[in-house]
């Protein structure tokens, strides 16, 4: 990467707010291969003249920051001390980082070393990362059964004797390049900006008053990436890669609710990821904060009640109808943006895609990533109360039975052992 020579832009320009003028903010040249030429994304509030993005860091947590400042718990001008916070491992850069069409919903340079913009920092620019990468141990109790039944092996490197998985994990905040978002959804950028402005109650006036600012940090949840095995295997065409993209379901993922297949499928995806990593490849779990199909948990619980109380009880033929009655739409996850994180990881081919969703499959393939095999959840893992969900999704075309290529030995073995259990 290039050394940090900060570009100077000291021109005085009129802003959209009468009576105000100041320095023109540093430009963001989305898609530029050199991070210095691309420019840092500055959404901090210490010096508003430096801001070159709409919104602020931390997504929805920005509101909690406001509460902390209002209550006197946090100084308004606090600047983060980023000493020793650099990533524990390096990811990228990859060719996809320079493709302004492949990555539009996150900043591919969001995790780069803090020293990259040292000169700008010395000049007072408050530049903060939007991606953090670290190493950790995680423990999934269900994997103990996988070990006891011989589906997984304790190797001491990926899975240790205590049942802990050794992972590299990355937290990613959303950073939207508005021209690219508009293109991805096939709408005019002006219409996108106007709708975002109106549907957030006018929270971000710069969406309509500052067309020169093309980057927006929306107040929504981001995602977390868990990587098992050698990072280099992710981009090595000669080594297998398994990927599970999982949308948040707090009730099932954390508390084990049996009305859906979310935690069982998440655990199954982790098991496939571990097995693939132990076979010399890598496994990637992408966990996206899109609770209740991005409709929210309150809406989800309202729909649960409506489904259970209707005449005839919970039925597959009214599964999505009840959601539409409450939310007006079946699903708001919009998988069009989902493949961006895969391009950030440099993924060009997925050998085992642990997902039954046609929406996810189509979005990944359309983005230019090859999928060799799709892996369904083993029948034995589907809770009895979740059969309605599976039947409804089948009827609605969420997934297509018979569309999955011939299963590999790994998938056959895991599925058979689940059934035998």
């Amino acid at each position: 990467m290039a050394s940090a020579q900060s570009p100077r832009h000291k021109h005085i320009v009129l802003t959209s707010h009468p009576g105000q003028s100041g320095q023109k903010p540093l430009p963001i040249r989305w898609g530029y291969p050199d991070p210095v030429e691309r420019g840092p994304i500055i959404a901090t509030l210490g010096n508003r003249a430096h801001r070159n993005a709409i919104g602020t860091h931390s997504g929805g947590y920005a509101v909690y920051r406001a509460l902390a400042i209002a209550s006197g718990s946090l100084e308004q001008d606090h600047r983060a001390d980023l000493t020793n916070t650099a990533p524990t491992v390096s990811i990228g850069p990859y060719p996809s980082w320079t493709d302004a069409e492949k990555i539009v919903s996150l900043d591919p340079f969001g995790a780069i070393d803090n020293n990259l913009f040292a000169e700008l920092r010395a000049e007072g620019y408050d530049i903060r990362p939007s991606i953090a990468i670290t190493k950790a141990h995680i423990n999934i109790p269900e994997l103990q059964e996988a070990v006891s039944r011989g589906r997984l092996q304790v190797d001491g490197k990926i899975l240790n004797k205590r049942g802990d998985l050794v992972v590299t994990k990355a937290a990613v905040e959303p950073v939207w390049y508005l021209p690219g978002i508009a293109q991805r959804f096939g709408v005019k950028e002006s219409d996108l900006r106007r709708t975002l402005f109106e549907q957030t109650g006018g929270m971000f006036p710069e969406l309509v008053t500052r067309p020169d600012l093309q980057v927006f940090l929306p107040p929504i949840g981001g995602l977390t990436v868990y990587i098992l095995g050698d990072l280099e295997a992710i981009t090595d065409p000669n080594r297998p890669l398994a990927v599970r993209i999982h949308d948040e379901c707090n009730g099932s993922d954390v508390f084990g609710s049996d009305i859906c297949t979310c935690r069982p499928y998440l655990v199954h995806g982790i098991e496939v990821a571990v097995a693939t990593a132990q076979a010399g490849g890598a496994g990637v779990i992408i966990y996206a904060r899109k609770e209740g199909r991005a409709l929210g948990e309150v809406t989800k619980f309202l729909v649960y009640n409506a489904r259970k109380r209707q005449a005839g009880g919970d039925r597959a033929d009214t599964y999505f109808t009840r959601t539409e009655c409450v939310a007006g739409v079946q699903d708001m996850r919009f998988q069009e943006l989902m493949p961006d994180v895969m391009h950030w990881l440099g993924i060009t081919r997925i050998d085992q895609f642990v997902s039954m969703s046609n929406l996810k499959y189509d979005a990944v393939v359309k983005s230019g990533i090859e999928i060799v095999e799709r892996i369904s959840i083993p029948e034995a893992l589907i809770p009895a109360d979740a059969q309605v969900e599976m039947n409804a999704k089948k009827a609605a075309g969420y997934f297509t039975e018979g569309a999955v290529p011939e299963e590999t030995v790994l998938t056959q073995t895991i599925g058979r052992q689940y059934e035998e259990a």
Side-chain angles (χ1 to χ4, degrees):
M1 289 187 179
S3 60
Q5 297 297 322
S6 62
R8 301 290 207 280
H9 296 276
K10 304 290 188 179
H11 308 295
I12 303 299
V13 296
L14 293 176
T15 70
S16 59
H17 305 284
Q20 296 184 14
S21 64
Q23 295 179 356
K24 183 178 181 180
L26 298 176
I28 299 173
R29 302 180 180 91
W30 199 269
Y32 269 51
D34 185 302
V36 174
E37 293 184 4
R38 199 294 302 272
I41 291 173
I42 306 172
T44 44
L45 300 169
N47 187 332
R48 293 181 178 272
H50 290 171
R51 286 169 53 82
N52 62 4
I54 304 166
T56 186
H57 292 289
S58 301
Y61 293 101
V63 176
Y64 288 103
R65 184 172 66 243
L67 287 177
I69 293 172
S71 66
S73 301
L74 176 65
E75 293 294 331
Q76 185 169 351
D77 59 352
H78 170 75
R79 293 190 61 167
D81 180 354
L82 299 175
T83 303
N84 293 328
T85 63
T88 54
V89 297
S90 296
I91 294 179
Y94 298 111
S96 53
W97 290 22
T98 67
D99 190 330
E101 294 185 358
K102 287 193 179 299
I103 298 179
V104 299
S105 63
L106 59 88
D107 176 11
F109 297 109
I112 53 179
D113 192 289
N114 303 322
N115 293 326
L116 181 67
F117 297 110
E119 185 179 341
L120 285 173
R121 292 176 188 278
E123 294 179 12
Y125 286 88
D126 189 1
I127 303 167
R128 304 190 186 185
S130 59
I131 299 175
I133 306 171
T134 190
K135 287 183 174 292
H137 291 80
I138 62 173
N139 191 290
I140 308 296
E142 290 93 330
L143 296 187
Q144 294 297 322
E145 180 182 354
V147 171
S148 67
R149 295 189 175 278
R151 296 197 302 269
L152 295 178
Q153 303 297 321
V154 173
D155 62 340
K157 181 180 179 182
I158 297 170
L159 179 61
N160 64 30
K161 292 181 180 180
R162 297 191 303 271
D164 296 334
L165 292 174
V166 180
V167 302
T168 297
K169 62 180 183 178
V172 183
E173 292 179 0
V175 176
W176 287 7
Y177 176 57
L178 291 173
I181 298 287
Q183 181 179 2
R184 191 76 61 89
F185 283 91
V187 300
K188 293 180 180 179
E189 183 185 345
S190 58
D191 292 342
L192 173 65
R193 284 173 169 267
R194 172 65 62 177
T195 304
L196 288 170
F197 170 73
E198 292 175 347
Q199 295 302 313
T200 56
M203 185 182 296
F204 304 100
E206 293 163 314
L207 285 167
V208 292
T209 64
R210 294 293 303 275
D212 58 308
L213 300 182
Q214 296 184 317
V215 172
F216 174 44
L217 280 61
I220 59 175
L223 52 86
T224 311
V225 180
Y226 295 87
I227 302 172
L228 296 142
D230 187 358
L231 273 85
E232 294 182 357
I234 294 176
T235 56
D236 188 339
N238 297 314
R239 301 168 72 179
L241 174 65
V243 174
R244 164 71 181 167
I245 172 72
H246 188 91
D247 295 322
E248 179 182 29
C249 178
N250 182 65
S252 178
D253 296 342
V254 179
F255 294 100
S257 171
D258 66 351
I259 198 171
C260 62
T261 60
C262 294
R263 180 175 175 90
Y265 211 172
L266 173 62
V267 172
H268 181 56
I270 293 172
E271 185 173 333
V272 173
V274 173
T276 304
Q278 290 181 332
V284 174
I285 306 296
I286 301 169
Y287 194 87
R289 297 323 193 280
K290 296 179 179 178
E291 178 64 61
R293 300 195 210 109
L295 300 171
E297 204 164 32
V298 169
T299 295
K300 182 164 71 171
F301 287 8
L302 293 174
V303 173
Y304 284 169
N305 289 343
R307 284 168 47 193
K308 297 288 187 179
R309 289 170 174 166
Q310 65 186 338
D314 197 5
R315 308 196 313 270
D317 62 327
T318 58
Y319 179 90
F320 288 112
T321 302
R322 297 312 303 154
T323 302
E324 289 184 0
C325 288
V326 177
V329 65
Q330 293 183 5
D331 194 325
M332 291 198 307
R333 285 174 291 180
F334 296 113
Q335 304 297 349
E336 287 88 344
L337 302 178
M338 175 266 295
D340 288 25
V341 66
M342 299 184 189
H343 289 295
W344 175 68
L345 292 167
I347 294 174
T348 57
R349 188 189 73 191
I350 299 172
D351 296 279
Q352 294 175 307
F353 187 54
V354 190
S355 173
M356 299 170 71
S357 169
N358 287 342
L359 295 173
K360 292 179 179 178
Y361 174 85
D362 292 343
V364 172
V365 172
K366 185 178 179 180
S367 78
I369 297 173
E370 177 189 1
I371 292 178
V372 178
E373 175 193 10
R374 296 168 68 179
I375 297 181
S376 303
I377 185 172
E379 189 71 25
L381 288 182
I382 301 174
D385 205 24
Q387 286 292 347
V388 171
E389 173 201 16
M390 297 301 289
N391 292 335
K393 287 183 175 181
K394 184 191 306 181
Y398 245 65
F399 59 87
T400 306
E401 288 191 324
V404 181
E406 184 178 354
E407 295 180 321
T408 63
V409 174
L410 169 66
T411 310
Q412 290 176 342
T413 301
I414 291 177
R416 184 169 60 253
Q417 289 177 334
Y418 271 121
E419 291 171 0
E420 291 173 353

